[in-house]
Amino acid sequence: MPELEIPKKIFEQMLQQALAEAPLEACGILAGKDSYVEKLYKMTNVDNSSNHFMMEPKEQFAVIKDIRTSGFEMLAIYHSHPNTPARPSAEDIRLAFTQDVVYVIVSLKNSNRPTVRGFIIEDGNVTEVLVKIVEL
């Protein structure tokens, strides 16, 4: 099973964003090298929705430029599910247009125990990816 390693500090930033933006979905991009996340980019969910997200296009272009300038690669697109499990919805699968990235979902369904899972989504096919939260 492929995997994605997220440092605990970056995972905590992702979780804090998800909690702060609930009940809306939070979203962002994770960048790094060789399946190891080194930078988090918080994005604006322009849909302001609790069951789907769309990133602000100008922010996306700026982030992609910064990722390239930094010598990183886009490893993952993340978003939160404020009220549902950490698995891709039908809409998540339908709108998974970016190839070669992990789709990370943070579920707040059980607010005392948020869960995080990752998936490769290509042509409607979903494959789980091991997401490891690692200490530095």
Side-chain angles (χ1 to χ4, degrees):
M1 173 186 292
E3 65 181 48
L4 180 70
E5 291 187 8
I6 303 175
K8 186 175 181 181
K9 177 180 159 187
I10 291 176
F11 172 71
E12 288 172 354
Q13 292 172 353
M14 201 168 43
L15 183 57
Q16 288 171 355
Q17 179 190 5
L19 291 167
E21 295 185 21
L24 303 178
E25 286 193 1
C27 58
I29 293 173
L30 301 174
K33 292 182 181 178
D34 301 322
S35 301
Y36 184 82
V37 174
E38 297 186 49
K39 191 164 184 180
L40 174 144
Y41 297 89
K42 294 180 183 178
M43 304 294 288
T44 302
N45 178 357
V46 295
D47 283 349
N48 286 319
S49 172
S50 62
N51 57 18
H52 58 89
F53 73 98
M54 179 178 289
M55 295 181 190
E56 204 288 322
K58 287 182 184 175
E59 287 180 359
Q60 269 185 287
F61 288 122
V63 165
I64 298 303
K65 185 176 180 182
D66 188 71
I67 289 171
R68 289 183 182 145
T69 301
S70 300
F72 293 140
E73 54 191 293
M74 184 191 311
L75 298 177
I77 294 172
Y78 71 88
H79 72 282
S80 62
H81 280 187
N83 303 305
T84 57
R87 65 175 174 251
S89 66
E91 185 166 327
D92 290 337
I93 295 167
R94 185 175 58 82
L95 296 175
F97 298 122
T98 306
Q99 300 291 313
D100 301 321
V101 300
V102 177
Y103 287 87
V104 173
I105 301 172
V106 178
S107 172
L108 303 176
K109 183 175 181 181
N110 179 348
S111 59
N112 295 329
R113 277 188 69 109
T115 56
V116 61
R117 292 172 68 196
F119 305 90
I120 299 287
I121 305 173
E122 292 180 349
D123 301 320
N125 298 308
V126 178
T127 306
E128 187 156 8
V129 172
L130 178 63
V131 175
K132 293 168 76 175
I133 309 303
V134 295
E135 299 285 341
L136 291 179

